[in-house]
Amino acid sequence: MAITREEIQKKLLEIFEINFEIENPGLDDNLRDEHGFDSIDAIELLSEIEKMLGLTLSQEQKKQAMDIRTINQICNYIESLEKR
């Protein structure tokens, strides 16, 4: 069951608000520079993505996520995971 980009985006914005207290970030905001999002936050976000998709990410898939800086990039990343 594929989820739409809109659903992914909505869920991510909820995760950012609830888990990281980042409200309404711009989809192209650099999360690290503009919102203080760090590597520990990224690890927590990956576990939320795993829950959202109902799967476990491989080390390789997690490494691919390390260069992600914006919500749009996270959406692209999740869409690429779903295609596998």
Side-chain angles (χ1 to χ4, degrees), residues 67-82:
D67 292 328
I68 292 173
R69 299 285 175 253
T70 71
I71 289 179
N72 270 327
Q73 289 174 329
I74 297 167
C75 289
N76 293 342
Y77 172 72
I78 291 172
E79 287 180 326
S80 77
L81 291 174
E82 281 212 300

Side-chain angles (χ1 to χ4, degrees), residues 5-72:
R5 187 176 182 94
E6 195 174 273
E7 291 168 325
I8 293 169
Q9 198 171 294
K10 183 175 184 271
K11 182 68 180 152
L12 284 173
L13 291 174
E14 285 173 17
I15 291 169
F16 275 96
E17 189 170 337
I18 294 165
N19 296 40
F20 306 108
E21 297 176 2
I22 298 174
E23 291 187 31
N24 300 315
L27 298 179
D28 290 312
D29 285 5
N30 183 315
L31 295 168
R32 185 175 55 185
D33 295 347
E34 296 177 46
H35 300 286
F37 196 79
D38 61 23
S39 56
I40 292 168
D41 293 331
I43 291 165
E44 187 178 333
L45 178 61
L46 284 173
S47 91
E48 289 297 322
I49 289 170
E50 287 178 325
K51 286 182 210 166
M52 179 171 45
L53 298 177
L55 53 83
T56 302
L57 299 172
S58 68
Q59 275 311 114
E60 190 55 41
Q61 289 169 321
K62 289 179 182 178
K63 277 184 196 160
Q64 291 168 357
M66 287 298 122
D67 292 328
I68 292 173
R69 299 285 175 253
T70 71
I71 289 179
N72 270 327

